[in-house]
Amino acid sequence: MIEVRDLETMDRSALAALWTRTFKRPVPARMSQPMQRRFLAHAVQVARFGDLPPAIATRLDRIAAGSERKASPALKPGARLLRTWNGVTHVVDVEPDGFRWNGARHRSLSAIARAITGARWSGPRFFGLMTELDQNEQGGGRKRTGSAVRSGGHR
């Protein structure tokens, strides 16, 4: 059985032969060798370890099609969020039942973002937890006047 590491040393003709055996058709015209190696590496891994469970494959298809948004990263208790706004660095600690900022407990990041800025902000957006794609979907292409840093771990 071929190993993924073997793909790196294969020349164009060996890759093409493996492609034809694996996918039962010739390599698509103009497909680069690095791209061939990626597809073949996936096929080798699937043959060895099995494919994704159907539910996960279906969900990934929905995400790729844009019909399901990716979730914001899960924040675990002990994580600390840092956000500089108008020259002041704000520290928010993630707790099991909410968030702690300036010594007070808050139920949501959005409430903290509103308290800091005086405006209605999405808390995950304000603290830099949303992906660039999420921000563009929600009109977040605006310039921000602060910086956000997320750190994990315990205090």
Side-chain angles (χ1 to χ4, degrees), residues 1 6 15 18 52 63 68 92 99 106 110 141-142 155:
M1 178 181 246
D6 299 332
L15 285 171
L18 179 59
L52 292 172
I63 290 169
E68 180 178 327
V92 175
F99 305 93
H106 298 268
S110 295
R142 293 173 255 150
R155 290 177 245 163

Side-chain angles (χ1 to χ4, degrees), residues 125-144:
R125 176 184 287 167
F126 181 77
F127 285 98
L129 300 176
M130 298 177 74
T131 65
E132 207 171 293
L133 175 64
D134 291 334
Q135 289 179 8
N136 288 337
E137 285 176 358
Q138 295 185 8
R142 293 173 255 150
K143 272 192 168 177
R144 296 190 306 192

Side-chain angles (χ1 to χ4, degrees), residues 62-136:
R62 284 195 313 262
I63 290 169
S67 59
E68 180 178 327
R69 287 194 30 222
K70 292 173 273 185
S72 294
L75 295 173
K76 296 180 182 174
R80 178 169 276 181
L81 305 174
L82 304 174
R83 177 64 154 95
T84 301
W85 182 259
N86 291 338
V88 176
T89 299
H90 298 272
V91 179
V92 175
D93 292 315
V94 179
E95 297 182 341
D97 57 347
F99 305 93
R100 185 157 303 277
W101 171 68
N102 279 354
R105 187 187 162 286
H106 298 268
R107 290 179 53 188
S108 75
L109 286 174
S110 295
I112 296 169
R114 276 193 296 277
I116 291 170
T117 65
R120 289 190 60 84
W121 269 84
S122 157
R125 176 184 287 167
F126 181 77
F127 285 98
L129 300 176
M130 298 177 74
T131 65
E132 207 171 293
L133 175 64
D134 291 334
Q135 289 179 8
N136 288 337

Side-chain angles (χ1 to χ4, degrees), residues 3 13 20-21 26 33-34 44 69 77 83 86 96 118 120 122 136 148 150:
E3 298 287 331
S13 62
T20 303
R21 277 196 320 270
Q33 288 182 44
V44 167
R69 287 194 30 222
R83 177 64 154 95
N86 291 338
R120 289 190 60 84
S122 157
N136 288 337
R150 178 174 42 139

